[in-house]
Amino acid sequence: LPFVLIILNYILYPVEKIIYEVYKNKAIKRLNKMENIAVIGITGSFGKTSTKMILNDILSVKYKGFCTANSFNTPKGITKTINETESIFNDYFIAEMGARAKGEIKQLCDIVHPKYGIITSVGPAHLDTFKNIDIITKTKCELLESLPNDGVIVLNKDNEYLRKYKPINRVKTLWFSLNDNDADAYASDIKYSDKGSTFTLHIKKKSIQVETTLLGKENIYNIVSASLLANELGMSLKEIQKGISNIKVISHRLELKTSENITIIDDSYNSNPVGSQNAIEVLKLMKGKKVIITPGMVEMGKDEEKLNYEFGRKMANICEKGIIDENKKADIKVFNSFNEAYNDFRKDFAKEKVTVLLENDLPDTYNEN
């Protein structure tokens, strides 16, 4: 049977490739029919999907457009999105761009030919395939290098890898930050609560007060970067302010839920060192007892054990149920599934007020056994 499957795969692979080429060419032609459309590429180690959805919500205040659905950030996902859009009369198209190997962002750019781009961050994600941070940086910056001469790239000034990167392509570069007041866009006076976030948004020497139901520093980064590009595309700060207030909660990404005496911070979409730290910072803001349910982080390469240990150490500093290290004792329990863990947690906190962070969710292939 395995031999037969190998032969079938060998036979079907070129057929699938031909079919994909047909759909890809159809998508390219369809996108070309959308005259004067602003094509935007978004990539980065973290925050791609959130930034895409935030930018779409902001731009929709003034313009008509569409974006890749969910986490459709591969060639097939992008071509499917373009081919299935109902109208060719659009002002913008946002393509989320993912990669697990060098050259894959360039491949996506060759399909949609973006004029605008946002690189949210560079960090240790998918180290099992990228191997080192230098390759990750160069891969994410394939978006920058693929833009036309009159293109615009938006970069995170607080990210050391992006600051140090020396581009070949001399396109217009705009910087966003939470720490540098000399950036083209930055946030100040940031305040968090269990209702969301408020801050002052500064873009090109102008400022405005904004509020959002989104939580966490990483979401502020995403909002600032999206707002900067929206302003570059012709939106006023008042229009951007309205767009920010309309941003919809993004499922499983620091999504706040309540159930009886329990407040749930659902950050189960995935996890990485930056995202997990951000989630812990949000959990710290909550009153009462705190619990984390997590399978840990994966695809971290040779540093996976070290990064997970550090994650556990941080959990132990704020949680009633966390991890044990040499300096801090906390209650830790191990389960075979999320459902087992959650049901046990519900028994322990049947009546008490408690906040639980759900950090990451893994398929059965990562079972502890």
Side-chain angles (χ1 to χ4, degrees):
L1 182 60
F3 179 76
V4 171
L5 291 174
I6 291 169
I7 294 298
L8 283 172
N9 186 62
Y10 183 77
I11 294 169
L12 291 174
Y13 176 75
V15 176
E16 290 179 356
K17 192 172 181 181
I18 291 169
I19 293 171
Y20 164 69
E21 287 296 321
V22 170
Y23 281 103
K24 184 184 79 171
N25 290 331
K26 179 183 175 183
I28 292 171
K29 290 177 182 177
R30 185 167 179 76
L31 198 58
N32 288 338
K33 288 180 181 178
M34 301 180 194
E35 295 181 4
N36 302 317
I37 189 171
V39 180
I40 304 159
I42 296 180
T43 192
S45 298
F46 328 113
K48 294 184 294 295
T49 304
S50 297
T51 302
K52 173 189 67 182
M53 302 305 293
I54 289 167
L55 179 58
N56 188 53
D57 284 341
I58 293 173
L59 290 178
S60 64
V61 169
K62 185 173 184 177
Y63 303 115
K64 173 181 168 59
F66 68 111
C67 62
T68 48
N70 302 318
S71 292
F72 280 18
N73 56 25
T74 63
K76 289 182 179 178
I78 288 176
T79 56
K80 178 180 172 67
T81 300
I82 297 168
N83 286 329
E84 291 184 355
T85 187
E86 294 179 358
S87 171
I88 63 168
F89 301 105
N90 289 289
D91 299 310
Y92 67 87
F93 167 51
I94 310 169
E96 179 183 342
M97 298 181 169
R100 296 176 63 89
K102 191 176 179 181
E104 290 186 353
I105 299 296
K106 174 66 164 62
Q107 181 185 4
L108 296 171
C109 290
D110 288 343
I111 296 172
V112 301
H113 299 288
K115 180 179 178 180
Y116 304 91
I118 298 176
I119 303 179
T120 61
S121 60
V122 171
H126 301 306
L127 279 172
D128 56 332
T129 54
F130 280 117
K131 304 306 180 188
N132 63 63
I133 201 76
D134 183 57
I135 295 174
I136 294 174
T137 304
K138 288 178 180 177
T139 301
K140 300 305 179 185
C141 288
E142 288 170 6
L143 172 57
L144 185 164
E145 303 296 357
S146 298
L147 298 180
N149 293 334
D150 60 346
V152 178
I153 190 72
V154 174
L155 300 178
N156 186 341
K157 198 172 185 179
D158 296 340
N159 187 274
E160 61 176 311
Y161 306 109
L162 290 172
R163 284 200 313 271
K164 292 176 182 177
Y165 181 77
K166 304 297 183 187
I168 299 170
N169 192 7
R170 298 296 178 182
V171 297
K172 183 177 181 179
T173 302
L174 299 173
W175 296 92
F176 66 95
S177 173
L178 296 192
N179 305 312
D180 190 337
N181 294 359
D182 290 328
D184 297 286
Y186 65 95
S188 66
D189 307 315
I190 301 170
K191 295 180 176 65
Y192 303 113
S193 71
D194 57 3
K195 301 290 189 299
S197 313
T198 62
F199 60 95
T200 303
L201 174 64
H202 306 264
I203 299 180
K204 300 174 184 177
K205 310 303 181 184
K206 295 181 180 180
S207 61
I208 198 164
Q209 279 291 120
V210 297
E211 57 182 48
T212 175
T213 55
L214 301 188
L215 291 165
K217 183 173 72 174
E218 293 308 309
N219 273 324
I220 304 300
Y221 271 114
N222 299 337
I223 290 171
V224 174
S225 66
S227 299
L228 178 55
L229 185 56
N231 181 250
E232 183 70 14
L233 290 170
M235 291 188 67
S236 68
L237 262 63
K238 278 286 186 184
E239 290 168 333
I240 291 169
Q241 180 189 49
K242 181 179 179 182
I244 292 171
S245 68
N246 291 338
I247 292 172
K248 294 179 275 298
V249 173
I250 302 162
S251 296
H252 311 303
R253 292 171 174 84
L254 292 176
E255 182 181 3
L256 202 63
K257 305 173 182 177
T258 55
S259 175
E260 299 172 356
N261 59 307
I262 298 170
T263 299
I264 298 170
I265 303 172
D266 183 354
D267 196 41
S268 60
Y269 177 73
N270 61 19
S271 189
N272 54 65
V274 174
S276 62
Q277 174 63 30
N278 186 42
I280 285 176
E281 289 175 1
V282 170
L283 183 61
K284 280 183 183 178
L285 300 171
M286 302 303 169
K287 296 177 181 178
K289 293 189 174 181
K290 303 170 183 67
V291 175
I292 293 178
I293 298 177
T294 181
M297 298 176 288
V298 297
E299 298 183 341
M300 294 289 110
K302 61 182 176 59
D303 293 329
E304 185 167 294
E305 184 175 350
K306 174 185 172 184
L307 291 168
N308 274 295
Y309 177 82
E310 181 62 21
F311 180 27
R313 189 185 64 77
K314 290 173 181 176
M315 284 194 289
N317 289 329
I318 65 166
C319 289
E320 274 63 44
K321 294 187 179 295
I323 206 83
I324 297 173
D325 76 4
E326 62 273 17
N327 299 317
K328 170 89 175 178
K329 287 188 176 181
D331 182 12
I332 179 172
K333 294 183 179 181
V334 179
F335 301 90
N336 288 322
S337 70
F338 166 79
N339 286 337
E340 284 184 28
Y342 190 76
N343 289 335
D344 184 82
F345 151 75
R346 288 298 300 268
K347 283 190 295 182
D348 284 355
F349 295 94
K351 295 181 180 178
E352 294 180 80
K353 291 268 184 192
V354 61
T355 301
V356 56
L357 168 63
L358 310 181
E359 181 64 16
N360 207 5
D361 184 21
L362 298 177
D364 292 340
T365 51
Y366 286 102
N367 188 285
E368 181 68 23
N369 294 330

